[in-house]
Amino acid sequence: MGHIWLAQQPCGARPEFLTAQGDDLPVELYAKAVDEDTSIVPVTHVCFKNGFRSSVREICRIAHAKGALVLVDDYQDCGTRPVNVKELDVDFYVTGTLKYLLGPSGVAFLYVRKELIPLLEPKISGWFAQRNPFAFDVRHLDLAPSARRFESGTPPIPNIYAASAGIELLREVGLENIAVQIRKLAQLLIKGARDLGIRIKTPSDSMGPLVVLQSGKVEAIIGRLAAENVICSGRHDGLRISCHVHNTRNDVETVLELLKKNRKLMEPGTNAA
Amino acid sequence: MGHIWLAQQPCGARPEFLTAQGDDLPVELYAKAVDEDTSIVPVTHVCFKNGFRSSVREICRIAHAKGALVLVDDYQDCGTRPVNVKELDVDFYVTGTLKYLLGPSGVAFLYVRKELIPLLEPKISGWFAQRNPFAFDVRHLDLAPSARRFESGTPPIPNIYAASAGIELLREVGLENIAVQIRKLAQLLIKGARDLGIRIKTPSDSMGPLVVLQSGKVEAIIGRLAAENVICSGRHDGLRISCHVHNTRNDVETVLELLKKNRKLMEPGTNAA
């Protein structure tokens, strides 16, 4: 998300970054940084680097008190538990089907608080944003009154079918059930890694879905795991393990056994960032 | 494309539209409209409404003489013949795989004249635009020196496989061969429609791929054709028929027979625009 906001600097934006305290980004940092000059507070619900979970409601309270809007990026969590944008009180919420919604890349979602919709005119537009796309009136911008005004051109249609299938599957299982299972697995993985003496970058009370373990040889451990059909990713010095409802205790035990076997690759190393 | 440029008005853009003379948009209109204040001349290679083909090289000469850039949208033609952006002398060229490239929606292409690349900083960015996407350095915008700087987030990966298959198929047939076949079919269709007394909105010397016939009952004729497995689209008072290399003379004859049978639906009507 950083790149997206940094790219707005030619329009006058002055992005400010908060600096995590260790693996934690306490809400007090937002309270200190947000003032009357703050236009928008972009928040990652779950951090892509260490799985830290932001206190969205509290951040909204801080931002709104100063007249700032809040945008939540839920890409790293959506699909793992129920989410209610109105309860969270966010102004914007974005996510996509690529990750825990079990869909393909190419389909993303934007929620905009209803009162804000008519006040916002997108600079990226197209025929799908028009009140009546089939008017083919290329000489007038006649934005839809609904959130459809934020669409642009023809979307990637085939992907929508795959995306729907993923969402239907998750709803069939039930998002509450999914959350319970993911928390169990995340806690099992954190406990097991701790017992192996591995440094855990994810806060210890994490409900998942990301569990990130420190490794001095991230690429090497990813390769060893992949050889045993355990697919993980790496971000800087973090081995990133994702739990979802289709995973079992057995999966977690397999990972832990492989980590034990490759314990040396999990020492802190020189590729930290 | 109109919507895209109209949406730039809050940034100070003042879009100006040329008005076609009948079904023709002569190059002289560009010569009259383009002056030293013109920043960019967006040109549709083939018009989505009537299949008119723009004289891109001449438009580039006019625009460049006044210091303006030219962007060509080739969505309605790419895949039907060889195209050489350097010979055309365009500054920007955009297209996508959805139409004559026989691919899905979701994959589009942007060409930028090499000298312009380092001068342009996109306001829509993301990790794929960075010099090293895998640096995951969210605090700095470090745009790739190549045209990759115009990418944004994760692209719709599955669509790329389908897009590649379409392009490979076209290359196997050969774009020169495809152009010959399409021109033959377009001319056959134009001649046949003329013989039926139908008004043709496409210039009579058209090499295709679009042939647009006037109809007072576009939706009705589309329905009649669809019932016989002939899939067409409509734009205002135009029945839009697309020829591609997989079509045969037989296909054109089938269309003409159906038009003859439904000749009344091809009278000029009240839905013109």
Side-chain angles (χ1 to χ4, degrees):
Chain A
M1 195 155 53
H3 301 137
I4 288 162
W5 296 103
L6 287 166
Q8 308 314 311
Q9 289 176 110
C11 307
R14 282 171 292 137
E16 197 177 315
F17 288 82
L18 302 185
T19 299
Q21 297 179 346
D23 298 328
D24 188 30
L25 191 66
V27 122
E28 294 75 50
L29 294 183
Y30 287 89
K32 263 189 225 166
V34 176
D35 62 26
E36 277 73 15
D37 285 339
T38 307
S39 169
I40 189 162
V41 181
V43 181
T44 300
H45 202 172
V46 169
C47 176
F48 80 102
K49 278 205 259 188
N50 77 335
F52 171 80
R53 181 174 292 269
S54 301
S55 305
V56 173
R57 276 208 69 163
E58 284 177 67
I59 295 165
C60 284
R61 212 169 296 132
I62 291 166
H64 291 158
K66 302 283 184 177
L69 301 169
V70 175
L71 178 146
V72 168
D73 174 357
D74 201 26
Y75 230 110
Q76 302 287 352
D77 195 46
C78 186
T80 69
R81 68 201 69 242
V83 62
N84 185 325
V85 288
K86 288 183 184 169
E87 268 174 28
L88 288 173
D89 202 25
V90 296
D91 302 288
F92 307 98
Y93 171 93
V94 291
T95 191
T97 58
L98 175 59
K99 289 178 182 277
Y100 300 93
L101 287 176
L102 304 180
S105 52
V107 179
F109 302 103
L110 166 68
Y111 159 83
V112 178
R113 183 194 290 274
K114 208 167 191 175
E115 306 91 86
L116 291 172
I117 295 173
L119 307 177
L120 296 168
E121 301 196 344
K123 295 222 180 69
I124 302 297
S125 196
W127 70 303
F128 268 64
Q130 307 305 304
R131 190 182 300 266
N132 172 14
F134 297 98
F136 299 113
D137 178 3
V138 296
R139 292 194 177 217
H140 299 97
L141 204 60
D142 182 23
L143 295 173
S146 71
R148 194 163 51 66
R149 64 167 50 201
F150 305 114
E151 303 246 7
S152 54
T154 309
I157 309 284
N159 309 48
I160 295 170
Y161 291 90
S164 300
I167 292 168
E168 269 167 43
L169 185 63
L170 295 173
R171 292 180 78 160
E172 205 181 301
V173 180
L175 286 158
E176 290 84 357
N177 299 329
I178 294 170
V180 169
Q181 172 74 352
I182 289 175
R183 182 198 284 264
K184 251 187 228 163
L185 298 178
Q187 280 296 317
L188 202 63
L189 185 52
I190 287 170
K191 193 189 164 302
R194 197 192 295 126
D195 290 347
L196 289 172
I198 294 168
R199 193 180 162 276
I200 298 149
K201 293 166 77 79
T202 308
S204 60
D205 61 347
S206 174
M207 55 179 91
L210 271 190
V211 174
V212 184
L213 308 179
Q214 193 176 47
S215 158
K217 307 252 185 229
V218 172
E219 289 311 314
I221 185 72
I222 287 172
R224 297 279 175 90
L225 292 168
E228 308 290 333
N229 294 320
V230 178
I231 310 302
C232 295
S233 60
R235 293 293 182 267
H236 302 305
D237 68 338
L239 170 68
R240 208 166 71 152
I241 304 165
S242 306
C243 308
H244 209 330
V245 69
H246 45 255
N247 292 121
T248 60
R249 296 177 72 95
N250 215 21
D251 290 342
V252 174
E253 279 155 23
T254 302
V255 169
L256 289 169
E257 272 164 42
L258 289 168
L259 291 176
K260 190 175 174 185
K261 220 164 134 185
N262 296 281
R263 184 62 190 77
K264 280 222 166 138
L265 299 177
M266 301 305 290
E267 296 297 331
T270 51
N271 65 353
Chain B
M1 194 154 56
H3 301 135
I4 289 161
W5 296 104
L6 287 166
Q8 308 316 311
Q9 289 176 111
C11 308
R14 282 169 292 139
E16 198 177 315
F17 288 82
L18 302 185
T19 298
Q21 298 179 344
D23 297 328
D24 188 31
L25 192 65
V27 121
E28 294 74 49
L29 293 183
Y30 286 90
K32 263 188 227 165
V34 176
D35 61 24
E36 278 72 15
D37 285 341
T38 308
S39 169
I40 188 162
V41 181
V43 181
T44 301
H45 202 174
V46 169
C47 175
F48 80 102
K49 277 204 258 188
N50 76 336
F52 170 80
R53 182 174 293 270
S54 301
S55 303
V56 173
R57 275 209 69 162
E58 285 176 67
I59 294 166
C60 285
R61 212 170 294 131
I62 291 165
H64 291 158
K66 302 282 184 182
L69 301 170
V70 175
L71 178 145
V72 167
D73 174 357
D74 202 26
Y75 230 110
Q76 301 287 352
D77 196 44
C78 187
T80 69
R81 67 202 69 245
V83 62
N84 185 325
V85 287
K86 289 186 182 167
E87 268 174 29
L88 288 173
D89 202 25
V90 297
D91 302 290
F92 307 98
Y93 171 94
V94 290
T95 192
T97 59
L98 174 58
K99 289 177 181 275
Y100 300 94
L101 287 176
L102 305 179
S105 53
V107 179
F109 302 104
L110 166 68
Y111 158 82
V112 178
R113 184 194 289 277
K114 208 167 190 173
E115 305 91 87
L116 291 172
I117 295 172
L119 307 176
L120 297 167
E121 298 195 348
K123 294 221 181 69
I124 302 297
S125 197
W127 70 304
F128 268 63
Q130 306 305 306
R131 192 182 298 267
N132 173 15
F134 297 97
F136 299 112
D137 178 2
V138 295
R139 291 194 176 216
H140 299 96
L141 205 59
D142 182 22
L143 295 173
S146 72
R148 195 162 51 66
R149 64 168 50 202
F150 305 114
E151 303 246 8
S152 54
T154 308
I157 309 284
N159 310 48
I160 295 170
Y161 290 91
S164 299
I167 293 169
E168 269 166 42
L169 184 63
L170 295 173
R171 293 181 77 160
E172 203 180 302
V173 179
L175 287 159
E176 290 85 356
N177 300 328
I178 294 170
V180 169
Q181 172 75 352
I182 290 175
R183 183 199 283 263
K184 252 188 225 160
L185 299 177
Q187 279 297 316
L188 202 64
L189 186 51
I190 287 170
K191 193 187 164 305
R194 197 192 294 125
D195 290 349
L196 290 172
I198 294 168
R199 189 176 168 281
I200 298 148
K201 295 166 76 79
T202 308
S204 60
D205 62 346
S206 173
M207 56 178 89
L210 270 190
V211 174
V212 184
L213 308 178
Q214 194 177 48
S215 159
K217 307 254 187 229
V218 172
E219 289 311 314
I221 185 70
I222 287 172
R224 296 281 175 90
L225 292 168
E228 307 291 333
N229 294 320
V230 178
I231 310 302
C232 294
S233 60
R235 292 293 181 268
H236 302 306
D237 69 338
L239 170 67
R240 207 166 71 152
I241 304 165
S242 307
C243 308
H244 210 329
V245 69
H246 44 254
N247 292 122
T248 62
R249 295 175 73 93
N250 216 24
D251 290 341
V252 175
E253 280 155 24
T254 303
V255 170
L256 289 169
E257 273 164 40
L258 290 167
L259 291 177
K260 191 176 172 185
K261 220 163 136 184
N262 296 282
R263 183 63 188 77
K264 281 222 167 138
L265 300 177
M266 301 306 288
E267 297 296 333
T270 50
N271 64 355

